[in-house]
Amino acid sequence: QVQLVESGGGWVQAGESLRLSCAASGRTFSASTMGWFRQAPGKVREFVAVITGSAGRTLYAESVKGRFTISRANAKNTVYLQMNSLKSEDTAVYYCAAAKIEFLYSGFRPNAYDYWGQGTQVTVSS
């Protein structure tokens, strides 16, 4: 049974940083794409960042480019999201997602992923 477990969320003030982690179990994702999405109250789930398995190529949403960094530790079957210079509009539940295959440019589509975590809340106070 595949599980994705996010951690690292919390409450911070604007301008501060957080690092989210997503630990996968039940399957190895080292050769697969993983991504981060977020959903604010009353809004649809939106793409944040994606990373491929082997080469670690990345793409970011325009709203987070230059502030967020996605990375992965394949030996730990874990993906990270380093979030710097946080803004109040970054407040949302952040979800980790994993696919069975590798892709990059489809990574912004939620239905491209096969597995999802339960989410972790990030609240940024201004």
Side-chain angles (χ1 to χ4, degrees):
Q1 181 182 357
V2 174
Q3 279 193 313
L4 302 178
V5 179
E6 300 100 334
S7 61
W11 182 92
V12 295
Q13 293 193 331
E16 295 184 340
S17 300
L18 278 175
R19 188 194 195 204
L20 305 183
S21 299
C22 172
S25 61
R27 177 191 172 101
T28 298
F29 290 99
S30 59
S32 303
T33 289
M34 298 185 76
W36 286 96
F37 288 74
R38 66 187 182 186
Q39 188 166 16
K43 295 189 176 182
V44 299
R45 189 169 298 190
E46 66 171 0
F47 166 73
V48 175
V50 60
I51 186 167
T52 62
S54 51
R57 294 187 298 163
T58 59
L59 284 177
Y60 296 90
E62 284 298 321
S63 59
V64 307
K65 198 175 293 184
R67 300 188 298 123
F68 291 12
T69 302
I70 188 171
S71 62
R72 63 192 299 162
N74 286 337
K76 297 182 179 180
N77 220 19
T78 299
V79 65
Y80 305 97
L81 186 68
Q82 177 67 43
M83 305 185 294
N84 298 330
S85 302
L86 282 161
K87 305 175 181 180
S88 57
E89 51 263 44
D90 295 319
T91 295
V93 177
Y94 283 71
Y95 296 92
C96 171
K100 294 180 180 179
I101 60 174
E102 186 170 69
F103 51 80
L104 180 62
Y105 297 104
S106 299
F108 67 94
R109 293 167 36 211
N111 61 7
Y113 298 85
D114 301 288
Y115 308 101
W116 290 84
Q118 82 289 349
T120 185
Q121 176 71 46
V122 172
T123 303
V124 184
S125 173
S126 57

